[in-house]
Amino acid sequence: DVHLLESGGTFVRPGESLRLSCLASGFTFGAHVMNWVRLTPGQGLEWLSTIDESGHRTYYPDSVRGRFAAYRDNSRNLLFLQMNSLRAEDTAIYFCARANALDSWGQGTLVTVSS
Amino acid sequence: QSALTQPASVSGSPGQSITISCTGTSSDVGGYNYVSWYQQHPGKAPKLMIYDVSKRPSGLSNRFSGSKSGNTASLTISGLQAEDEADYYCNSYTRNTTVVFGGGTKLTVL
């Protein structure tokens, strides 16, 4: 079975940085595009990034481009999201999801940004 | 990248059918056959229900179906059941090689 497990979420102050991880199992990780998506109370789901199978190409929405960076380590089945200059509005549950169709999701990790 | 437009809420009685709309533009929903729908129960991860406008993942109930006309995609749930009560989100690939979600629709089973 496909399994995705996010970690790294915690409480941080505005302006700080944080790195999230997503450990994949149950499938050939390096053969799939991967994504990060967040769920914000009252605002719903927001797509944050897509990274291709090799990790050479990444895509972001304007809202996080330049602050967030996705990368992956296919040898360890790991996906990462580096988040810099965090703001209160980045408070959310962060999910990793597989493939362009987002066909499998992890359970999410909570990031709280507050002064 | 503006969010796709979904109704905030819909409701229906058990056994009935409901349809949730998802309206975008020719740069996203109308321009590509890459619309997906997700179901999310409180505290749970989203679950893929429909992809590529109308395809169902293996094993998913055929009570769920998707379609598209112009810039509007739709999710129809037939034979409504209590466990269908959840939030539903659509998303679409866009011209800018990005992805955009709808604002979500809360389905209430009366």
Side-chain angles (χ1 to χ4, degrees):
Chain A
D1 285 0
V2 174
H3 190 61
L4 298 170
L5 181 63
E6 303 91 341
S7 62
T10 189
F11 178 94
V12 296
R13 303 291 185 185
E16 293 184 341
S17 296
L18 191 63
R19 188 183 78 168
L20 304 181
S21 301
C22 170
L23 178 62
S25 60
F27 65 102
T28 305
F29 179 69
H32 289 270
V33 165
M34 295 296 296
N35 304 269
W36 287 100
V37 178
R38 68 186 175 188
L39 176 64
T40 306
Q43 294 197 11
L45 294 174
E46 180 183 12
W47 168 74
L48 298 176
S49 74
T50 296
I51 185 168
D52 75 351
E53 295 88 337
S54 67
H56 292 155
R57 288 181 294 182
T58 52
Y59 307 91
Y60 308 94
D62 291 343
S63 58
V64 304
R65 186 178 294 115
R67 290 196 305 129
F68 289 11
Y71 59 103
R72 62 194 296 166
D73 182 343
N74 287 345
S75 68
R76 294 191 296 158
N77 289 358
L78 282 166
L79 173 70
F80 301 98
L81 184 67
Q82 178 66 42
M83 304 187 294
N84 300 324
S85 303
L86 283 163
R87 308 165 180 167
E89 53 264 36
D90 295 319
T91 294
I93 300 172
Y94 286 71
F95 298 95
C96 59
R98 186 184 77 162
N100 289 317
L102 307 179
D103 62 6
S104 296
W105 298 61
Q107 286 303 303
T109 187
L110 176 62
V111 173
T112 303
V113 185
S114 177
S115 55
Chain B
Q1 295 122 353
S2 300
L4 305 177
T5 300
Q6 298 181 232
S9 63
V10 298
S11 62
S13 299
Q16 289 185 332
S17 294
I18 63 94
T19 296
I20 300 172
S21 61
C22 170
T23 301
T25 69
S26 59
S27 295
D28 39 63
V29 174
Y32 306 93
N33 288 323
Y34 295 129
V35 176
S36 298
W37 290 89
Y38 305 87
Q39 176 192 67
Q40 184 179 31
H41 289 107
K44 301 292 188 181
K47 176 184 177 182
L48 176 67
M49 307 303 284
I50 295 289
Y51 67 101
D52 293 353
V53 176
S54 60
K55 297 177 181 177
R56 273 189 308 273
S58 175
L60 193 76
S61 169
N62 59 8
R63 296 189 301 108
F64 293 84
S65 61
S67 63
K68 189 184 83 167
S69 177
N71 295 335
T72 297
S74 298
L75 171 70
T76 298
I77 308 174
S78 59
L80 208 57
Q81 299 178 1
E83 57 262 36
D84 298 333
E85 185 164 294
D87 293 328
Y88 290 84
Y89 295 89
C90 63
N91 80 1
S92 174
Y93 179 80
T94 81
R95 182 179 61 187
N96 299 322
T97 65
T98 59
V99 173
V100 62
F101 276 95
T105 298
K106 181 176 180 58
L107 169 62
T108 300
V109 180
L110 302 171

